[in-house]
Amino acid sequence: MRLKDRNLLGIETLTPEEIKLILDTAVPFKEIFTRSVKKVPTLRGKTVVNLFYEPSTRTRTSFELAEKRLSADVLNISVNTSSIVKGESLIDTAKTIEAMKADFVVIRHSMAGAPHLLARTISASIINAGDGMHEHPTQALLDLFTVRDKKGKIENQNVVIVGDILHSRVARSNIWALTKMGAKVTVVGPVTLIPSHIENLKVKVAYKLDDVLPHADVIYVLRVQRERQKQHLFPSLREYSELYGIDMDRLKKCKKDVIVMHPGPMNRGIEISSEVADSSFSVITEQVTNGIAIRMAVLYLLAGGAEKVEEGE
Ligand code: NCD
């Protein structure tokens, strides 16, 4: 089986079979990490451009490592967001990349739809590494991989996503991905941070964290985007922390085998206490490791994906 599109622009358009294919393909790639030589020749001779218009540490380095472990030639372009805000500039950049004959472009942009625009403009395969408030597909895939790895399955898991659902591309991609794979998703947060009609995405909505936590198999904590604080979408960080922060007292009321996830970067002491972040309930560092395997799987499948992952050299 192969992916039907040559780009990965979002989870919304993927079928459950395609999602499963990506997760299954990531398993042998993760095994490579235990070898002394963590490299396979899969993308030798291929060029990947990482085009980041927004600050990013985790996602950019994860992609770069995935590309290098597949033996691709890697080019990093970080662009100052303030100088490029219009679609026109993006097209100019796209044309430059096209002239360089890149095979893949990994793009992060503050404008929703930027990866789609790029996909219409150039012939390279485009991977969305986060577009505005829209989608962040590889994050959702690595999260699904982590849930499956830890819980044995995704179907029927109660996943509680906590925090700023409104502005979160991570939440949106995860909602698509989890519901497609049969998980039961509840979103919880201040009323100002929950989009209206979110129920249409087959999720439950709650406003009181303590009502939903006892049923959770997975608690997915979103970053408090402090920049939103200026818009007064919630009264204060202290109040947010009291109402929606995940600390040990709250975890005590949860299932014994609950797992806590966070896409990073974390605000320790605000949405998650340090004690929880560093506890055995937390799978946050596993998410980071799994992210590399998932990105390798995505690149491999978009490159045409042969039957088997090649042996290391
Ligand atoms: C997320 C992002 O940038 O969308 N982080 C990430 O990719 N590791 C989440 C966030 O910034 O809150």
Side-chain angles (χ1 to χ4, degrees):
M1 194 192 152
R2 291 186 174 196
L3 297 177
K4 57 179 184 314
D5 195 358
R6 68 189 171 88
N7 309 300
L8 178 66
L9 302 177
I11 301 287
E12 187 179 355
T13 51
L14 292 181
T15 64
E17 293 73 29
E18 287 179 304
I19 294 174
K20 186 172 179 301
L21 174 67
I22 298 170
L23 302 187
D24 291 347
T25 306
V27 175
F29 280 122
K30 194 177 171 186
E31 276 158 22
I32 293 173
F33 303 170
T34 58
R35 299 182 192 165
S36 59
V37 178
K38 298 174 185 57
K39 207 163 175 161
V40 287
T42 316
L43 291 190
R44 195 160 52 196
K46 303 274 183 202
T47 307
V48 188
V49 174
N50 298 315
L51 183 59
F52 278 67
Y53 288 82
E54 267 187 13
S56 163
T57 321
R58 204 171 297 243
T59 306
R60 204 193 57 71
T61 49
S62 177
F63 266 108
E64 188 172 343
L65 214 48
E67 293 149 9
K68 288 182 168 163
R69 287 185 179 173
L70 290 171
S71 308
D73 294 321
V74 180
L75 189 70
N76 291 312
I77 308 178
S78 300
V79 194
N80 182 354
T81 345
S82 59
S83 63
I84 297 186
V85 282
K86 300 219 170 71
E88 198 59 32
S89 314
L90 179 62
I91 288 177
D92 282 343
T93 310
K95 283 182 181 152
T96 310
I97 293 170
E98 180 81 334
M100 291 173 179
K101 307 271 182 265
D103 299 288
F104 294 92
V105 179
V106 177
I107 177 172
R108 169 168 287 198
H109 201 290
S110 57
M111 188 175 75
H116 307 69
L117 177 65
L118 212 57
R120 287 196 297 274
T121 316
I122 64 177
S123 58
S125 282
I126 310 299
I127 301 175
N128 181 0
D131 64 325
M133 294 189 249
H134 180 226
E135 281 230 41
H136 190 350
T138 56
Q139 177 69 47
L141 290 164
L142 76 88
D143 292 332
L144 247 57
F145 185 95
T146 309
V147 171
R148 196 176 74 165
D149 199 37
K150 289 282 155 193
K151 295 286 184 182
K153 62 180 174 103
I154 299 163
E155 206 180 352
N156 287 327
Q157 296 290 320
N158 279 316
V159 183
V160 173
I161 307 180
V162 190
D164 183 356
I165 314 293
L166 182 65
H167 301 99
S168 174
R169 53 194 175 206
V170 173
R172 226 168 302 279
S173 284
N174 261 296
I175 289 170
W176 284 116
L178 287 161
T179 53
K180 277 176 198 262
M181 301 311 279
K184 294 179 186 146
V185 180
T186 304
V187 296
V188 55
V191 66
T192 46
L193 297 178
I194 307 269
S196 47
H197 308 300
I198 186 89
E199 299 87 347
N200 295 348
L201 295 184
K202 298 191 208 133
V203 300
K204 285 192 196 147
V205 179
Y207 301 102
K208 286 199 183 136
L209 184 59
D210 295 316
D211 290 350
V212 294
L213 279 190
H215 311 288
D217 298 302
V218 177
I219 305 170
Y220 197 99
V221 188
L222 295 172
R223 178 174 68 94
V224 170
Q225 308 189 357
R226 288 165 189 247
E227 52 277 21
R228 309 284 171 214
Q229 185 62 10
K230 294 188 207 97
Q231 299 164 258
H232 304 294
L233 290 173
F234 52 93
S236 72
L237 287 174
R238 211 177 109 202
E239 185 177 306
Y240 182 92
S241 193
E242 261 164 41
L243 294 175
Y244 298 105
I246 305 293
D247 59 13
M248 272 300 176
D249 285 342
R250 286 210 155 100
L251 270 198
K252 281 186 196 132
K253 295 180 201 132
C254 295
K255 292 186 182 179
K256 296 269 168 295
D257 62 347
V258 72
I259 58 169
V260 179
M261 305 177 68
H262 192 300
M266 285 186 271
N267 298 298
R268 285 172 180 258
I270 299 176
E271 72 264 11
I272 187 166
S273 74
S274 259
E275 218 187 331
V276 171
D278 302 328
S279 73
S280 58
F281 296 101
S282 160
V283 296
I284 297 167
T285 50
E286 273 109 316
Q287 284 174 270
V288 177
T289 308
N290 295 338
I292 304 167
I294 278 292
R295 290 173 176 123
M296 288 173 83
V298 166
L299 285 156
Y300 167 79
L301 289 167
L302 293 180
E307 289 305 305
K308 254 180 92 230
V309 174
E310 290 116 293
E311 290 299 312
E313 287 176 307

